[in-house]
PDB file of all heavy atoms in Angstrom:
ATOM      1  N   ARG A   1      18.104  27.541 -26.793  1.00 79.00           N
ATOM      2  CA  ARG A   1      17.891  27.732 -25.358  1.00 79.00           C
ATOM      3  C   ARG A   1      16.890  26.691 -24.850  1.00 79.00           C
ATOM      4  O   ARG A   1      15.834  26.504 -25.424  1.00 79.00           O
ATOM      5  CB  ARG A   1      17.346  29.140 -25.118  1.00 79.00           C
ATOM      6  CG  ARG A   1      17.140  29.462 -23.682  1.00 79.00           C
ATOM      7  CD  ARG A   1      16.742  30.938 -23.536  1.00 79.00           C
ATOM      8  NE  ARG A   1      16.059  31.099 -22.282  1.00 79.00           N
ATOM      9  CZ  ARG A   1      14.740  31.205 -22.156  1.00 79.00           C
ATOM     10  NH1 ARG A   1      13.964  31.213 -23.214  1.00 79.00           N
ATOM     11  NH2 ARG A   1      14.193  31.335 -20.973  1.00 79.00           N
ATOM     12  N   VAL A   2      17.228  26.036 -23.744  1.00 85.00           N
ATOM     13  CA  VAL A   2      16.339  25.045 -23.145  1.00 85.00           C
ATOM     14  C   VAL A   2      15.777  25.624 -21.851  1.00 85.00           C
ATOM     15  O   VAL A   2      16.517  25.924 -20.920  1.00 85.00           O
ATOM     16  CB  VAL A   2      17.084  23.719 -22.868  1.00 85.00           C
ATOM     17  CG1 VAL A   2      16.181  22.732 -22.164  1.00 85.00           C
ATOM     18  CG2 VAL A   2      17.603  23.136 -24.165  1.00 85.00           C
ATOM     19  N   THR A   3      14.471  25.791 -21.821  1.00 89.00           N
ATOM     20  CA  THR A   3      13.806  26.358 -20.650  1.00 89.00           C
ATOM     21  C   THR A   3      13.677  25.301 -19.551  1.00 89.00           C
ATOM     22  O   THR A   3      13.798  24.097 -19.823  1.00 89.00           O
ATOM     23  CB  THR A   3      12.394  26.854 -21.019  1.00 89.00           C
ATOM     24  OG1 THR A   3      11.599  25.719 -21.384  1.00 89.00           O
ATOM     25  CG2 THR A   3      12.432  27.870 -22.154  1.00 89.00           C
ATOM     26  N   PRO A   4      13.397  25.728 -18.320  1.00 90.00           N
ATOM     27  CA  PRO A   4      13.155  24.742 -17.264  1.00 90.00           C
ATOM     28  C   PRO A   4      12.012  23.785 -17.611  1.00 90.00           C
ATOM     29  O   PRO A   4      12.095  22.590 -17.319  1.00 90.00           O
ATOM     30  CB  PRO A   4      12.808  25.609 -16.044  1.00 90.00           C
ATOM     31  CG  PRO A   4      13.533  26.895 -16.288  1.00 90.00           C
ATOM     32  CD  PRO A   4      13.452  27.096 -17.786  1.00 90.00           C
ATOM     33  N   ALA A   5      10.967  24.279 -18.256  1.00 92.00           N
ATOM     34  CA  ALA A   5       9.848  23.417 -18.643  1.00 92.00           C
ATOM     35  C   ALA A   5      10.297  22.374 -19.668  1.00 92.00           C
ATOM     36  O   ALA A   5       9.881  21.214 -19.596  1.00 92.00           O
ATOM     37  CB  ALA A   5       8.693  24.250 -19.190  1.00 92.00           C
ATOM     38  N   THR A   6      11.146  22.769 -20.607  1.00 93.00           N
ATOM     39  CA  THR A   6      11.662  21.816 -21.593  1.00 93.00           C
ATOM     40  C   THR A   6      12.509  20.753 -20.907  1.00 93.00           C
ATOM     41  O   THR A   6      12.416  19.571 -21.229  1.00 93.00           O
ATOM     42  CB  THR A   6      12.481  22.538 -22.679  1.00 93.00           C
ATOM     43  OG1 THR A   6      11.648  23.505 -23.318  1.00 93.00           O
ATOM     44  CG2 THR A   6      13.016  21.567 -23.719  1.00 93.00           C
ATOM     45  N   ALA A   7      13.313  21.160 -19.927  1.00 93.00           N
ATOM     46  CA  ALA A   7      14.128  20.201 -19.173  1.00 93.00           C
ATOM     47  C   ALA A   7      13.237  19.213 -18.415  1.00 93.00           C
ATOM     48  O   ALA A   7      13.553  18.025 -18.337  1.00 93.00           O
ATOM     49  CB  ALA A   7      15.067  20.924 -18.217  1.00 93.00           C
ATOM     50  N   LEU A   8      12.109  19.683 -17.881  1.00 93.00           N
ATOM     51  CA  LEU A   8      11.171  18.786 -17.201  1.00 93.00           C
ATOM     52  C   LEU A   8      10.593  17.763 -18.167  1.00 93.00           C
ATOM     53  O   LEU A   8      10.486  16.578 -17.848  1.00 93.00           O
ATOM     54  CB  LEU A   8      10.029  19.583 -16.564  1.00 93.00           C
ATOM     55  CG  LEU A   8      10.357  20.382 -15.311  1.00 93.00           C
ATOM     56  CD1 LEU A   8       9.173  21.250 -14.914  1.00 93.00           C
ATOM     57  CD2 LEU A   8      10.731  19.454 -14.174  1.00 93.00           C
ATOM     58  N   VAL A   9      10.210  18.209 -19.351  1.00 95.00           N
ATOM     59  CA  VAL A   9       9.662  17.301 -20.366  1.00 95.00           C
ATOM     60  C   VAL A   9      10.733  16.291 -20.780  1.00 95.00           C
ATOM     61  O   VAL A   9      10.455  15.092 -20.893  1.00 95.00           O
ATOM     62  CB  VAL A   9       9.102  18.083 -21.570  1.00 95.00           C
ATOM     63  CG1 VAL A   9       8.758  17.150 -22.727  1.00 95.00           C
ATOM     64  CG2 VAL A   9       7.883  18.896 -21.154  1.00 95.00           C
ATOM     65  N   LEU A  10      11.954  16.754 -20.992  1.00 95.00           N
ATOM     66  CA  LEU A  10      13.042  15.841 -21.348  1.00 95.00           C
ATOM     67  C   LEU A  10      13.271  14.821 -20.241  1.00 95.00           C
ATOM     68  O   LEU A  10      13.492  13.640 -20.507  1.00 95.00           O
ATOM     69  CB  LEU A  10      14.326  16.618 -21.638  1.00 95.00           C
ATOM     70  CG  LEU A  10      14.343  17.420 -22.935  1.00 95.00           C
ATOM     71  CD1 LEU A  10      15.565  18.336 -22.982  1.00 95.00           C
ATOM     72  CD2 LEU A  10      14.301  16.507 -24.152  1.00 95.00           C
ATOM     73  N   GLY A  11      13.201  15.259 -18.994  1.00 94.00           N
ATOM     74  CA  GLY A  11      13.352  14.339 -17.867  1.00 94.00           C
ATOM     75  C   GLY A  11      12.279  13.260 -17.863  1.00 94.00           C
ATOM     76  O   GLY A  11      12.561  12.088 -17.611  1.00 94.00           O
ATOM     77  N   ALA A  12      11.044  13.650 -18.157  1.00 95.00           N
ATOM     78  CA  ALA A  12       9.951  12.678 -18.232  1.00 95.00           C
ATOM     79  C   ALA A  12      10.184  11.692 -19.367  1.00 95.00           C
ATOM     80  O   ALA A  12       9.920  10.495 -19.228  1.00 95.00           O
ATOM     81  CB  ALA A  12       8.614  13.399 -18.403  1.00 95.00           C
ATOM     82  N   LEU A  13      10.681  12.185 -20.492  1.00 96.00           N
ATOM     83  CA  LEU A  13      10.956  11.310 -21.637  1.00 96.00           C
ATOM     84  C   LEU A  13      12.111  10.354 -21.349  1.00 96.00           C
ATOM     85  O   LEU A  13      12.132   9.236 -21.842  1.00 96.00           O
ATOM     86  CB  LEU A  13      11.254  12.142 -22.884  1.00 96.00           C
ATOM     87  CG  LEU A  13      10.055  12.881 -23.474  1.00 96.00           C
ATOM     88  CD1 LEU A  13      10.518  13.964 -24.440  1.00 96.00           C
ATOM     89  CD2 LEU A  13       9.107  11.911 -24.157  1.00 96.00           C
ATOM     90  N   LEU A  14      13.067  10.800 -20.555  1.00 95.00           N
ATOM     91  CA  LEU A  14      14.204   9.942 -20.199  1.00 95.00           C
ATOM     92  C   LEU A  14      13.800   8.824 -19.245  1.00 95.00           C
ATOM     93  O   LEU A  14      14.479   7.803 -19.158  1.00 95.00           O
ATOM     94  CB  LEU A  14      15.315  10.777 -19.550  1.00 95.00           C
ATOM     95  CG  LEU A  14      16.156  11.628 -20.487  1.00 95.00           C
ATOM     96  CD1 LEU A  14      16.945  12.666 -19.708  1.00 95.00           C
ATOM     97  CD2 LEU A  14      17.082  10.751 -21.302  1.00 95.00           C
ATOM     98  N   SER A  15      12.692   9.001 -18.547  1.00 91.00           N
ATOM     99  CA  SER A  15      12.299   8.051 -17.509  1.00 91.00           C
ATOM    100  C   SER A  15      11.680   6.765 -18.046  1.00 91.00           C
ATOM    101  O   SER A  15      11.498   5.819 -17.288  1.00 91.00           O
ATOM    102  CB  SER A  15      11.321   8.716 -16.535  1.00 91.00           C
ATOM    103  OG  SER A  15      10.073   8.935 -17.164  1.00 91.00           O
ATOM    104  N   ALA A  16      11.323   6.728 -19.323  1.00 88.00           N
ATOM    105  CA  ALA A  16      10.677   5.534 -19.879  1.00 88.00           C
ATOM    106  C   ALA A  16      10.983   5.429 -21.366  1.00 88.00           C
ATOM    107  O   ALA A  16      11.355   6.415 -22.003  1.00 88.00           O
ATOM    108  CB  ALA A  16       9.168   5.612 -19.666  1.00 88.00           C
ATOM    109  N   GLU A  17      10.793   4.237 -21.899  1.00 90.00           N
ATOM    110  CA  GLU A  17      11.024   4.018 -23.334  1.00 90.00           C
ATOM    111  C   GLU A  17      10.034   4.819 -24.175  1.00 90.00           C
ATOM    112  O   GLU A  17      10.376   5.419 -25.173  1.00 90.00           O
ATOM    113  CB  GLU A  17      10.903   2.524 -23.643  1.00 90.00           C
ATOM    114  CG  GLU A  17      11.057   2.175 -25.102  1.00 90.00           C
ATOM    115  CD  GLU A  17      12.446   2.455 -25.651  1.00 90.00           C
ATOM    116  OE1 GLU A  17      13.420   2.399 -24.887  1.00 90.00           O
ATOM    117  OE2 GLU A  17      12.543   2.742 -26.860  1.00 90.00           O
ATOM    118  N   SER A  18       8.772   4.823 -23.735  1.00 90.00           N
ATOM    119  CA  SER A  18       7.715   5.506 -24.466  1.00 90.00           C
ATOM    120  C   SER A  18       6.709   6.033 -23.437  1.00 90.00           C
ATOM    121  O   SER A  18       6.332   5.302 -22.523  1.00 90.00           O
ATOM    122  CB  SER A  18       7.031   4.528 -25.420  1.00 90.00           C
ATOM    123  OG  SER A  18       6.019   5.158 -26.146  1.00 90.00           O
ATOM    124  N   VAL A  19       6.311   7.293 -23.567  1.00 93.00           N
ATOM    125  CA  VAL A  19       5.422   7.921 -22.596  1.00 93.00           C
ATOM    126  C   VAL A  19       4.298   8.621 -23.349  1.00 93.00           C
ATOM    127  O   VAL A  19       4.549   9.307 -24.337  1.00 93.00           O
ATOM    128  CB  VAL A  19       6.173   8.974 -21.745  1.00 93.00           C
ATOM    129  CG1 VAL A  19       5.303   9.479 -20.616  1.00 93.00           C
ATOM    130  CG2 VAL A  19       7.480   8.434 -21.211  1.00 93.00           C
ATOM    131  N   TRP A  20       3.068   8.482 -22.871  1.00 92.00           N
ATOM    132  CA  TRP A  20       1.985   9.183 -23.542  1.00 92.00           C
ATOM    133  C   TRP A  20       1.889  10.601 -23.011  1.00 92.00           C
ATOM    134  O   TRP A  20       2.295  10.907 -21.890  1.00 92.00           O
ATOM    135  CB  TRP A  20       0.677   8.413 -23.490  1.00 92.00           C
ATOM    136  CG  TRP A  20       0.045   8.136 -22.168  1.00 92.00           C
ATOM    137  CD1 TRP A  20       0.530   7.353 -21.162  1.00 92.00           C
ATOM    138  CD2 TRP A  20      -1.211   8.622 -21.718  1.00 92.00           C
ATOM    139  NE1 TRP A  20      -0.344   7.316 -20.130  1.00 92.00           N
ATOM    140  CE2 TRP A  20      -1.427   8.089 -20.436  1.00 92.00           C
ATOM    141  CE3 TRP A  20      -2.181   9.439 -22.265  1.00 92.00           C
ATOM    142  CZ2 TRP A  20      -2.567   8.360 -19.693  1.00 92.00           C
ATOM    143  CZ3 TRP A  20      -3.321   9.698 -21.523  1.00 92.00           C
ATOM    144  CH2 TRP A  20      -3.501   9.168 -20.270  1.00 92.00           C
ATOM    145  N   GLY A  21       1.377  11.482 -23.841  1.00 93.00           N
ATOM    146  CA  GLY A  21       1.391  12.914 -23.566  1.00 93.00           C
ATOM    147  C   GLY A  21       0.819  13.310 -22.221  1.00 93.00           C
ATOM    148  O   GLY A  21       1.417  14.098 -21.488  1.00 93.00           O
ATOM    149  N   LEU A  22      -0.360  12.786 -21.859  1.00 93.00           N
ATOM    150  CA  LEU A  22      -0.976  13.183 -20.595  1.00 93.00           C
ATOM    151  C   LEU A  22      -0.151  12.711 -19.402  1.00 93.00           C
ATOM    152  O   LEU A  22      -0.125  13.368 -18.367  1.00 93.00           O
ATOM    153  CB  LEU A  22      -2.407  12.668 -20.508  1.00 93.00           C
ATOM    154  CG  LEU A  22      -3.243  13.232 -19.370  1.00 93.00           C
ATOM    155  CD1 LEU A  22      -3.271  14.766 -19.404  1.00 93.00           C
ATOM    156  CD2 LEU A  22      -4.655  12.690 -19.411  1.00 93.00           C
ATOM    157  N   GLN A  23       0.567  11.607 -19.546  1.00 94.00           N
ATOM    158  CA  GLN A  23       1.442  11.158 -18.466  1.00 94.00           C
ATOM    159  C   GLN A  23       2.590  12.139 -18.276  1.00 94.00           C
ATOM    160  O   GLN A  23       3.007  12.405 -17.150  1.00 94.00           O
ATOM    161  CB  GLN A  23       1.985   9.748 -18.743  1.00 94.00           C
ATOM    162  CG  GLN A  23       2.774   9.174 -17.582  1.00 94.00           C
ATOM    163  CD  GLN A  23       1.931   9.024 -16.330  1.00 94.00           C
ATOM    164  OE1 GLN A  23       0.851   8.439 -16.373  1.00 94.00           O
ATOM    165  NE2 GLN A  23       2.412   9.540 -15.220  1.00 94.00           N
ATOM    166  N   ILE A  24       3.096  12.704 -19.356  1.00 95.00           N
ATOM    167  CA  ILE A  24       4.152  13.718 -19.253  1.00 95.00           C
ATOM    168  C   ILE A  24       3.608  14.952 -18.539  1.00 95.00           C
ATOM    169  O   ILE A  24       4.278  15.536 -17.695  1.00 95.00           O
ATOM    170  CB  ILE A  24       4.717  14.066 -20.642  1.00 95.00           C
ATOM    171  CG1 ILE A  24       5.390  12.833 -21.250  1.00 95.00           C
ATOM    172  CG2 ILE A  24       5.693  15.236 -20.568  1.00 95.00           C
ATOM    173  CD1 ILE A  24       5.791  12.984 -22.701  1.00 95.00           C
ATOM    174  N   VAL A  25       2.380  15.337 -18.857  1.00 95.00           N
ATOM    175  CA  VAL A  25       1.732  16.468 -18.166  1.00 95.00           C
ATOM    176  C   VAL A  25       1.688  16.184 -16.665  1.00 95.00           C
ATOM    177  O   VAL A  25       2.057  17.036 -15.846  1.00 95.00           O
ATOM    178  CB  VAL A  25       0.310  16.715 -18.734  1.00 95.00           C
ATOM    179  CG1 VAL A  25      -0.469  17.692 -17.864  1.00 95.00           C
ATOM    180  CG2 VAL A  25       0.388  17.217 -20.170  1.00 95.00           C
ATOM    181  N   LYS A  26       1.258  14.985 -16.289  1.00 94.00           N
ATOM    182  CA  LYS A  26       1.175  14.617 -14.870  1.00 94.00           C
ATOM    183  C   LYS A  26       2.551  14.579 -14.221  1.00 94.00           C
ATOM    184  O   LYS A  26       2.738  15.064 -13.105  1.00 94.00           O
ATOM    185  CB  LYS A  26       0.481  13.261 -14.722  1.00 94.00           C
ATOM    186  CG  LYS A  26      -0.988  13.301 -15.061  1.00 94.00           C
ATOM    187  CD  LYS A  26      -1.599  11.912 -14.997  1.00 94.00           C
ATOM    188  CE  LYS A  26      -3.046  11.938 -15.431  1.00 94.00           C
ATOM    189  NZ  LYS A  26      -3.639  10.588 -15.433  1.00 94.00           N
ATOM    190  N   ASP A  27       3.535  13.983 -14.915  1.00 92.00           N
ATOM    191  CA  ASP A  27       4.882  13.845 -14.351  1.00 92.00           C
ATOM    192  C   ASP A  27       5.571  15.186 -14.132  1.00 92.00           C
ATOM    193  O   ASP A  27       6.323  15.345 -13.177  1.00 92.00           O
ATOM    194  CB  ASP A  27       5.755  12.976 -15.260  1.00 92.00           C
ATOM    195  CG  ASP A  27       5.352  11.511 -15.253  1.00 92.00           C
ATOM    196  OD1 ASP A  27       4.525  11.099 -14.410  1.00 92.00           O
ATOM    197  OD2 ASP A  27       5.865  10.770 -16.119  1.00 92.00           O
ATOM    198  N   THR A  28       5.340  16.123 -15.032  1.00 93.00           N
ATOM    199  CA  THR A  28       6.021  17.417 -14.934  1.00 93.00           C
ATOM    200  C   THR A  28       5.275  18.410 -14.056  1.00 93.00           C
ATOM    201  O   THR A  28       5.870  19.359 -13.563  1.00 93.00           O
ATOM    202  CB  THR A  28       6.202  18.050 -16.321  1.00 93.00           C
ATOM    203  OG1 THR A  28       4.916  18.288 -16.904  1.00 93.00           O
ATOM    204  CG2 THR A  28       7.056  17.188 -17.224  1.00 93.00           C
ATOM    205  N   GLY A  29       3.967  18.204 -13.900  1.00 93.00           N
ATOM    206  CA  GLY A  29       3.173  19.168 -13.140  1.00 93.00           C
ATOM    207  C   GLY A  29       2.870  20.426 -13.931  1.00 93.00           C
ATOM    208  O   GLY A  29       2.366  21.399 -13.384  1.00 93.00           O
ATOM    209  N   LYS A  30       3.181  20.415 -15.207  1.00 94.00           N
ATOM    210  CA  LYS A  30       2.909  21.562 -16.076  1.00 94.00           C
ATOM    211  C   LYS A  30       1.576  21.371 -16.779  1.00 94.00           C
ATOM    212  O   LYS A  30       1.080  20.261 -16.909  1.00 94.00           O
ATOM    213  CB  LYS A  30       4.024  21.741 -17.113  1.00 94.00           C
ATOM    214  CG  LYS A  30       5.370  22.059 -16.518  1.00 94.00           C
ATOM    215  CD  LYS A  30       5.343  23.418 -15.885  1.00 94.00           C
ATOM    216  CE  LYS A  30       6.680  23.812 -15.310  1.00 94.00           C
ATOM    217  NZ  LYS A  30       6.620  25.074 -14.596  1.00 94.00           N
ATOM    218  N   LYS A  31       1.032  22.448 -17.269  1.00 95.00           N
ATOM    219  CA  LYS A  31      -0.253  22.394 -17.964  1.00 95.00           C
ATOM    220  C   LYS A  31      -0.070  21.862 -19.383  1.00 95.00           C
ATOM    221  O   LYS A  31       1.000  22.012 -19.976  1.00 95.00           O
ATOM    222  CB  LYS A  31      -0.875  23.781 -17.999  1.00 95.00           C
ATOM    223  CG  LYS A  31      -1.217  24.295 -16.612  1.00 95.00           C
ATOM    224  CD  LYS A  31      -1.894  25.633 -16.676  1.00 95.00           C
ATOM    225  CE  LYS A  31      -2.029  26.207 -15.310  1.00 95.00           C
ATOM    226  NZ  LYS A  31      -3.250  26.068 -14.653  1.00 95.00           N
ATOM    227  N   PRO A  32      -1.131  21.248 -19.931  1.00 95.00           N
ATOM    228  CA  PRO A  32      -1.037  20.739 -21.306  1.00 95.00           C
ATOM    229  C   PRO A  32      -0.628  21.818 -22.313  1.00 95.00           C
ATOM    230  O   PRO A  32       0.091  21.524 -23.266  1.00 95.00           O
ATOM    231  CB  PRO A  32      -2.448  20.225 -21.598  1.00 95.00           C
ATOM    232  CG  PRO A  32      -3.034  19.930 -20.263  1.00 95.00           C
ATOM    233  CD  PRO A  32      -2.422  20.936 -19.323  1.00 95.00           C
ATOM    234  N   GLY A  33      -1.050  23.049 -22.088  1.00 95.00           N
ATOM    235  CA  GLY A  33      -0.693  24.155 -22.985  1.00 95.00           C
ATOM    236  C   GLY A  33       0.784  24.492 -22.957  1.00 95.00           C
ATOM    237  O   GLY A  33       1.277  25.212 -23.828  1.00 95.00           O
ATOM    238  N   THR A  34       1.493  24.001 -21.968  1.00 95.00           N
ATOM    239  CA  THR A  34       2.946  24.145 -21.902  1.00 95.00           C
ATOM    240  C   THR A  34       3.625  22.907 -22.481  1.00 95.00           C
ATOM    241  O   THR A  34       4.561  23.015 -23.275  1.00 95.00           O
ATOM    242  CB  THR A  34       3.398  24.345 -20.435  1.00 95.00           C
ATOM    243  OG1 THR A  34       2.808  25.535 -19.923  1.00 95.00           O
ATOM    244  CG2 THR A  34       4.914  24.431 -20.330  1.00 95.00           C
ATOM    245  N   VAL A  35       3.159  21.732 -22.091  1.00 96.00           N
ATOM    246  CA  VAL A  35       3.819  20.468 -22.454  1.00 96.00           C
ATOM    247  C   VAL A  35       3.687  20.141 -23.938  1.00 96.00           C
ATOM    248  O   VAL A  35       4.680  19.810 -24.593  1.00 96.00           O
ATOM    249  CB  VAL A  35       3.285  19.308 -21.584  1.00 96.00           C
ATOM    250  CG1 VAL A  35       3.797  17.966 -22.091  1.00 96.00           C
ATOM    251  CG2 VAL A  35       3.678  19.517 -20.133  1.00 96.00           C
ATOM    252  N   TYR A  36       2.479  20.231 -24.480  1.00 96.00           N
ATOM    253  CA  TYR A  36       2.293  19.797 -25.865  1.00 96.00           C
ATOM    254  C   TYR A  36       3.058  20.644 -26.887  1.00 96.00           C
ATOM    255  O   TYR A  36       3.632  20.085 -27.830  1.00 96.00           O
ATOM    256  CB  TYR A  36       0.806  19.676 -26.203  1.00 96.00           C
ATOM    257  CG  TYR A  36       0.200  18.445 -25.566  1.00 96.00           C
ATOM    258  CD1 TYR A  36      -0.649  18.549 -24.478  1.00 96.00           C
ATOM    259  CD2 TYR A  36       0.506  17.176 -26.039  1.00 96.00           C
ATOM    260  CE1 TYR A  36      -1.192  17.423 -23.878  1.00 96.00           C
ATOM    261  CE2 TYR A  36      -0.026  16.043 -25.446  1.00 96.00           C
ATOM    262  CZ  TYR A  36      -0.870  16.165 -24.370  1.00 96.00           C
ATOM    263  OH  TYR A  36      -1.402  15.035 -23.782  1.00 96.00           O
ATOM    264  N   PRO A  37       3.133  21.967 -26.731  1.00 95.00           N
ATOM    265  CA  PRO A  37       3.989  22.724 -27.663  1.00 95.00           C
ATOM    266  C   PRO A  37       5.470  22.336 -27.564  1.00 95.00           C
ATOM    267  O   PRO A  37       6.176  22.314 -28.572  1.00 95.00           O
ATOM    268  CB  PRO A  37       3.768  24.182 -27.254  1.00 95.00           C
ATOM    269  CG  PRO A  37       2.420  24.196 -26.634  1.00 95.00           C
ATOM    270  CD  PRO A  37       2.315  22.866 -25.919  1.00 95.00           C
ATOM    271  N   ILE A  38       5.925  22.005 -26.358  1.00 95.00           N
ATOM    272  CA  ILE A  38       7.315  21.551 -26.196  1.00 95.00           C
ATOM    273  C   ILE A  38       7.507  20.226 -26.932  1.00 95.00           C
ATOM    274  O   ILE A  38       8.498  20.031 -27.648  1.00 95.00           O
ATOM    275  CB  ILE A  38       7.687  21.418 -24.704  1.00 95.00           C
ATOM    276  CG1 ILE A  38       7.757  22.805 -24.069  1.00 95.00           C
ATOM    277  CG2 ILE A  38       9.003  20.656 -24.528  1.00 95.00           C
ATOM    278  CD1 ILE A  38       7.884  22.796 -22.555  1.00 95.00           C
TER     279      ILE A  38
END
């Protein structure tokens, strides 16, 4: 099952060749406690 938060993280990863973790947090608008476990 892919949650909406997982889809947001995947979208951020699709947007660039390589993305650092905090940039994904900023791009998704989700908290680090959500993004990093994903």
